Amino acid sequence: MSSAELTIERDGREYRPPRLAHRLRAVARREVSELSTWVLVVAITVAVVLGARTPRFFSVDNGKAILVSAGTIGIAALGVTLIMVCGGLVSLAVGETAAVAGMVFLFSLDAGLLPALVASMAVAAVVTALQGAMVGAWQANPIILTIAVASILTAVGAQLSSQSAVKPASDAYEWLNRTPLGVPMVVLALLGLTVVVQLFMTMTRLGRLMYAVGENRAAARAAGLPIVSTVVVAFAAGGALMAVSGAFSASSSHTITLLGASQLTFNAVAAVLAGGTAIFGGSGSAIRTLVGALLIATVTDLLLLRGADIGMQTLVKGLLVLVVVLVGHRRGSGRRS
Amino acid sequence: MTDQSTQVQAGRVDVPARLELRSVRRSFGAIQAVSDATLSIRAGEIHALCGHNGAGKSTVVKMICGLLEPGGGEILLDGEPVSLHSTHDAQRLGIALVDQELSVIPHLTVAENLMLGSVGEPTFLRRSTIRRRAGELLARVGLTCSPDTLLEHLSIGERQLVEIARALSRGARVLLLDEPTATLSSAEIELVFDAVRATAAEGCAVIFVSHRLGEVIELCDRVTVMRDGRTVAESSTSGMHPNEIVHQMLGALPEKVAKAPLGAAPVMLRLRELAVPGVFQDVSLDISAGRIYALAGQVGSGASEVLRSVAGLYPSSTGAIDLDDRPVPQGRPGAAQRRGIAFASGDRKSEGLFLTKDVRTNLVVTRLPSVSTAGVVRRGRVRRESTDVAQVAGIDPSRLHTPVEQLSGGNQQKVLVGRSLADDRVKVLLLDEPTRGVDVGGRGAIHQTLRAAANDGMAVIFASTELDELIELADTVVTMREGRIVSIYEGSATEAAVLNDITHAEGIT
């Protein structure tokens, strides 16, 4: 966009829209103000205090480990963000979708990295798009629907992995494990995809429609907006992002199982909620989800370093989500009254 | 009224007013919502408070009943300055509020509702005592039902009477009624008015907030008008004409909008035997571009349902809808919208606007394709387009970034209507109750906007239950009753004729 094109007249005076730097600053300010600020402050304080008393927490390697785990959580969480913003509530099949897509990815690697990635994204997108169609057209309850889908995908995944051990068909996936300039590829992917999803939601017609449909479906219907296609696109894009997450975790561990599926589902949904996206739709952003993913990854890492078992980890994250939801609810109801 | 004039004199010889506001102010951040409210209401008086949406009357009401604290000035009750920090303070001093959102509980009986939250009563009361007291209170407001009736079996008007009775039971000295008649039928309105008169006769000071100026003059003794956060006039209502109040509210009389000349414009939209089973039947109409059509009918007559089915919101509709001689698919709002049929719901909050989003977003949401290139929304075009639309729809351009939920009802309605304006693709504009909850000034502005849209070649069809609006705005009035068209008036219709059509004829004397 040239700036000359953007120049318009207002009240007879020439009005020049703010430059990029200003615009970025405005975006940052808006997103930060929407986050549950004090949740963040508390979280960061706790992390610093606990981190200082935890050996190896403040180290480059650990920082990298946090970022890598934020990568797989965050990419899947971006997918959940799209679904949540358009009013699709939540997907409880995030991990299962990622796992099955990861298997498809490993199986089709003999065709090369890019075709394998595309294939896994396509499979996941079709599966979630069908759910989107049911949510969009028949107002199916997304929670029950995605629980059912999670169960079906678990069966499919078990079938796929029992027929032949899920081994990569070639080592083309290693490209995803590279660390250009010392930064793991999954982190770069998370940052890149955050920008892409953010731009998609704020700058495209479909993105704007997602917010509208998510905020007030009855109004969107009365205005004749394309509800079904909007919801289907959001779900399909969400599924594709889950597949990317699955491809990265398959690459880093050279195989993939369904064991970590429910953990990923919980982490991804927790990241979105911790970022302050409204569970009933209409508001939320990729940047907020990025922050949420970093938060969840840090908490997980801290607990691991301090030797907490899986039960403790689950408990702490559960409490975290509980607090975020309660605070978010209070803020939400405060705004309404 | 001699009675009134003696009261006036009594006021002059320093019997303090029941409730007095002296230069009360209140601001929200930088916005001065009320800059000088001076108001005096005597015991036994029914006093109207009128003004535009946004003139500050709801703020004044909230300050009187303790929901908001004043930012300056004095509130006096029987000559004593009082400070109201909460609704509890106000209740303790005998100030009671009855507003549109009723605070009675549907699953309790009338008697139980009346005893709810009463102060200074023993905790346990004998059932017979409760019933006897409730019976007395009901008699005072003229309600004939049994105290044992469940509240959910009462009409909205009767529930309001229960609220008034409850206010009386708490020994209310000041009763505030905020738009009590907005949702009532005319028979219910009479009941409420009788109760209000009875309440005033017992020495209560009544403040009546309403947009309906006819009611104000019928019911109230005096009227105080607010404009731009100030009380600008106080007058006795006897012999007053509604236009005088309008004049005080606006500072100037709104222009009457001119009607379209009766001409043989070609038919644009043709409805043939349109029906929705169980809702309305056999609706056939020819709609021409450049004209405004009104569907007149009471709730349940099918008038607004006809609009909804044309907009594609009834999957079960049958019959034919032809636009420019091509059939419009039924039951598919998206398809209707793409053919150029725009619909503005009568329920703008739950079915019209995206409340947390700003005005600009709401204005462009239906025209995203025309402000995008290859699916990418162009900021410059959004800015230009929304500024243009704001101008056409009479929306203050400085409000473009305000979330719609913060606007007054009138401005919200302008946004909802504006969404379909200045859009080449919109050929037919359907509006359900286009000025519900909108004050006189906003109403005039919306009427002018609709007329301008029709002059630009749009066909405008609206459903309304307000007679004067139908007569004033429409070129053609179609009356409906019990799901059928009664008659079609081209050019001129009289209120009497329309009223006769839409109600049962025997109901009119």
Side-chain angles (χ1 to χ4, degrees):
Chain A
M1 270 188 279
S2 69
S3 63
E5 190 193 341
L6 276 174
T7 306
I8 59 161
E9 293 211 344
R10 190 154 74 186
D11 306 333
R13 274 174 303 153
E14 194 181 81
Y15 171 76
R16 199 176 279 274
R19 274 191 307 232
L20 188 64
H22 289 152
R23 219 186 272 173
L24 284 179
R25 212 175 304 154
V27 168
R29 208 175 298 141
R30 186 182 66 218
E31 299 303 341
V32 169
S33 74
E34 285 289 330
L35 282 167
S36 334
T37 318
W38 74 263
V39 171
L40 264 191
V41 170
V42 170
I44 290 170
T45 316
V46 171
V48 168
V49 170
L50 271 180
R53 298 170 55 189
T54 308
R56 287 177 292 129
F57 181 75
F58 289 108
S59 67
V60 175
D61 279 349
N62 191 49
K64 220 181 254 181
I66 292 178
L67 288 176
V68 167
S69 89
T72 43
I73 295 172
I75 293 171
L78 289 174
V80 178
T81 309
L82 291 171
I83 290 173
M84 210 179 271
V85 163
C86 81
L89 225 51
V90 73
S91 170
L92 295 179
V94 179
E96 288 77 3
T97 310
V100 170
M103 290 174 191
V104 172
F105 172 73
L106 291 180
F107 285 140
S108 45
L109 268 174
D110 48 358
L113 175 69
L114 204 60
L117 205 51
V118 170
S120 66
M121 287 167 74
V123 168
V126 168
V127 170
T128 48
L130 286 174
Q131 300 165 57
M134 287 186 239
V135 171
W138 306 328
Q139 288 167 40
N141 181 328
I143 293 184
I144 294 166
L145 179 70
T146 56
I147 285 179
V149 169
S151 167
I152 294 167
L153 286 177
T154 306
V156 171
Q159 197 67 24
L160 285 176
S161 52
S162 69
Q163 275 171 358
S164 57
V166 186
K167 271 191 294 189
S170 86
D171 60 359
Y173 65 87
E174 285 295 352
W175 195 82
L176 294 183
N177 291 335
R178 287 163 76 171
T179 52
L181 303 170
V183 187
M185 199 59 91
V186 66
V187 177
L188 294 178
L190 173 62
L191 296 177
L193 288 171
T194 304
V195 172
V196 170
V197 173
Q198 179 77 17
L199 291 180
F200 171 69
M201 297 212 301
T202 54
M203 293 191 56
T204 68
R205 190 161 63 87
L206 270 167
R208 301 280 187 105
L209 285 174
M210 281 179 199
Y211 284 105
V213 169
E215 162 147 357
N216 189 342
R217 198 163 160 150
R221 186 172 122 85
L225 302 182
I227 296 177
V228 180
S229 56
T230 305
V231 175
V232 167
V233 168
F235 269 78
L241 286 162
M242 292 170 201
V244 174
S245 167
F248 271 108
S249 48
S251 301
S252 71
S253 49
H254 315 290
T255 184
I256 192 157
T257 67
L258 285 154
L259 288 177
S262 60
Q263 195 69 18
L264 178 61
T265 301
F266 183 84
N267 283 337
V269 174
V272 178
L273 291 175
T277 291
I279 186 145
F280 290 117
S283 86
S285 81
I287 294 172
R288 283 188 246 166
T289 295
L290 175 68
V291 175
L294 288 170
L295 184 67
I296 294 294
T298 309
V299 170
T300 313
D301 179 77
L302 254 178
L303 291 166
L304 272 175
L305 285 182
R306 294 181 69 84
D309 58 13
I310 191 87
M312 189 51 144
Q313 288 180 38
T314 317
L315 175 70
V316 170
K317 278 186 274 180
L319 290 173
L320 183 75
V321 171
L322 196 63
V323 169
V324 166
V325 168
L326 288 177
V327 170
H329 176 75
R330 284 198 46 186
R331 275 158 46 97
S333 55
R335 218 172 314 155
R336 245 172 274 131
S337 66
Chain B
M1 270 189 251
T2 52
D3 197 31
Q4 199 181 340
S5 59
T6 51
Q7 274 183 7
V8 171
Q9 278 167 1
R12 282 189 191 135
V13 292
D14 276 358
V15 171
R18 170 56 53 79
L19 179 75
E20 195 175 344
L21 271 65
R22 289 186 187 157
S23 303
V24 169
R25 298 185 296 277
R26 169 77 201 204
S27 52
F28 299 98
I31 301 161
Q32 186 87 29
V34 172
S35 50
D36 177 6
T38 298
L39 193 61
S40 151
I41 298 135
R42 292 182 285 262
E45 178 188 36
I46 307 176
H47 195 112
L49 186 61
C50 293
H52 265 272
N53 279 342
K57 51 187 197 314
S58 344
T59 310
V60 167
V61 167
K62 284 180 182 158
M63 288 192 287
I64 295 174
C65 63
L67 279 166
L68 284 175
E69 288 195 50
E74 272 187 312
I75 298 180
L76 298 95
L77 199 62
D78 289 328
E80 296 285 319
V82 290
S83 54
L84 306 165
H85 301 295
S86 68
T87 48
H88 185 79
D89 286 350
Q91 266 177 27
R92 209 168 29 82
L93 292 166
I95 300 173
L97 170 71
V98 176
D99 66 4
Q100 291 154 294
E101 279 147 45
L102 301 173
S103 57
V104 283
I105 300 170
H107 302 301
L108 295 182
T109 65
V110 170
E112 285 162 343
N113 265 292
L114 286 175
M115 293 303 141
L116 273 182
S118 40
V119 194
E121 297 279 356
T123 316
F124 298 102
L125 282 175
R126 294 169 65 107
R127 236 188 138 63
S128 58
T129 320
I130 293 182
R131 294 196 59 228
R132 187 173 43 75
R133 278 223 218 130
E136 287 166 15
L137 285 167
L138 293 182
R140 275 162 78 185
V141 296
L143 200 54
T144 49
C145 69
S146 145
D148 297 326
T149 318
L150 283 183
L151 210 81
E152 59 191 346
H153 296 148
L154 300 187
S155 69
I156 305 275
E158 289 169 325
R159 291 184 199 191
Q160 238 163 32
L161 294 182
V162 173
E163 284 225 31
I164 294 174
R166 188 165 71 185
L168 289 177
S169 78
R170 291 175 184 169
R173 294 193 285 171
V174 176
L175 180 64
L176 287 149
L177 299 154
D178 193 0
E179 295 277 347
T181 58
T183 50
L184 301 188
S185 71
S186 45
E188 289 179 319
I189 289 174
E190 272 315 309
L191 274 179
V192 172
F193 280 7
D194 287 343
V196 170
R197 289 192 188 101
T199 313
E202 293 183 24
C204 190
V206 179
I207 303 176
F208 182 81
V209 180
S210 181
H211 283 141
R212 301 189 176 180
L213 304 180
E215 289 177 0
V216 164
I217 288 172
E218 183 195 335
L219 178 72
C220 302
D221 306 314
R222 285 191 302 161
V223 51
T224 294
V225 175
M226 292 193 72
R227 186 168 77 226
D228 301 331
R230 300 170 176 280
T231 44
V232 288
E234 191 209 82
S235 21
S236 161
T237 55
S238 59
M240 203 177 189
H241 189 271
N243 272 352
E244 292 173 58
I245 303 182
V246 173
H247 194 83
Q248 291 169 350
M249 283 166 64
L250 296 177
L253 278 176
E255 289 172 50
K256 285 257 177 190
V257 276
K259 299 215 172 183
L262 253 178
V267 174
M268 183 194 244
L269 178 74
R270 189 173 279 123
L271 309 181
R272 282 293 170 266
E273 291 172 14
L274 191 64
V276 172
V279 181
F280 65 84
Q281 300 87 39
D282 196 19
V283 169
S284 297
L285 284 173
D286 289 334
I287 307 290
S288 307
R291 292 176 68 81
I292 300 183
Y293 296 80
L295 300 181
Q298 294 184 316
V299 176
S301 65
S304 39
E305 288 78 6
V306 170
L307 296 184
R308 297 183 71 84
S309 72
V310 175
L313 292 164
Y314 268 113
S316 57
S317 64
T318 60
I321 305 173
D322 291 331
L323 180 61
D324 293 332
D325 295 322
R326 273 173 52 216
V328 178
Q330 292 181 40
R332 285 165 53 201
Q337 194 247 5
R338 280 192 295 280
R339 286 293 305 280
I341 297 174
F343 173 67
S345 169
D347 188 352
R348 60 178 167 262
K349 283 194 173 144
S350 50
E351 206 191 28
L353 296 165
F354 303 97
L355 287 173
T356 68
K357 302 290 179 282
D358 64 8
V359 172
R360 172 171 288 168
T361 305
N362 274 280
L363 286 178
V364 299
V365 72
T366 51
R367 60 187 100 205
L368 286 173
S370 66
V371 294
S372 322
T373 314
V376 175
V377 177
R378 307 299 292 265
R379 296 166 62 98
R381 262 193 257 166
V382 168
R383 200 176 288 126
R384 267 194 303 269
E385 186 102 345
S386 57
T387 312
D388 291 350
V389 174
Q391 197 174 8
V392 174
I395 300 162
D396 179 357
S398 68
R399 291 289 190 87
L400 281 172
H401 290 293
T402 311
V404 168
E405 62 190 345
Q406 290 175 16
L407 300 181
S408 66
N411 282 326
Q412 285 184 348
Q413 191 66 28
K414 285 183 194 169
V415 175
L416 184 59
V417 175
R419 199 163 77 182
S420 310
L421 298 175
D423 188 340
D424 298 338
R425 294 165 311 141
V426 177
K427 292 175 186 152
V428 179
L429 177 54
L430 310 169
L431 307 109
D432 193 7
E433 297 287 352
T435 59
R436 177 182 283 164
V438 174
D439 62 81
V440 182
R443 199 173 122 138
I446 287 169
H447 285 183
Q448 280 175 8
T449 311
L450 293 178
R451 177 54 70 192
N455 289 343
D456 275 356
M458 231 185 245
V460 177
I461 315 174
F462 71 97
S464 179
T465 48
E466 288 186 40
L467 279 181
D468 43 351
E469 173 165 86
L470 297 164
I471 306 288
E472 213 175 290
L473 182 61
D475 303 315
T476 301
V477 177
V478 179
T479 52
M480 291 190 68
R481 187 175 74 217
E482 291 168 6
R484 291 180 183 279
I485 291 180
V486 181
S487 19
I488 299 176
Y489 299 90
E490 294 282 356
S492 59
T494 62
E495 290 202 15
V498 172
L499 194 62
N500 205 50
D501 285 353
I502 65 174
T503 55
H504 287 284
E506 58 266 34
I508 301 299
T509 48

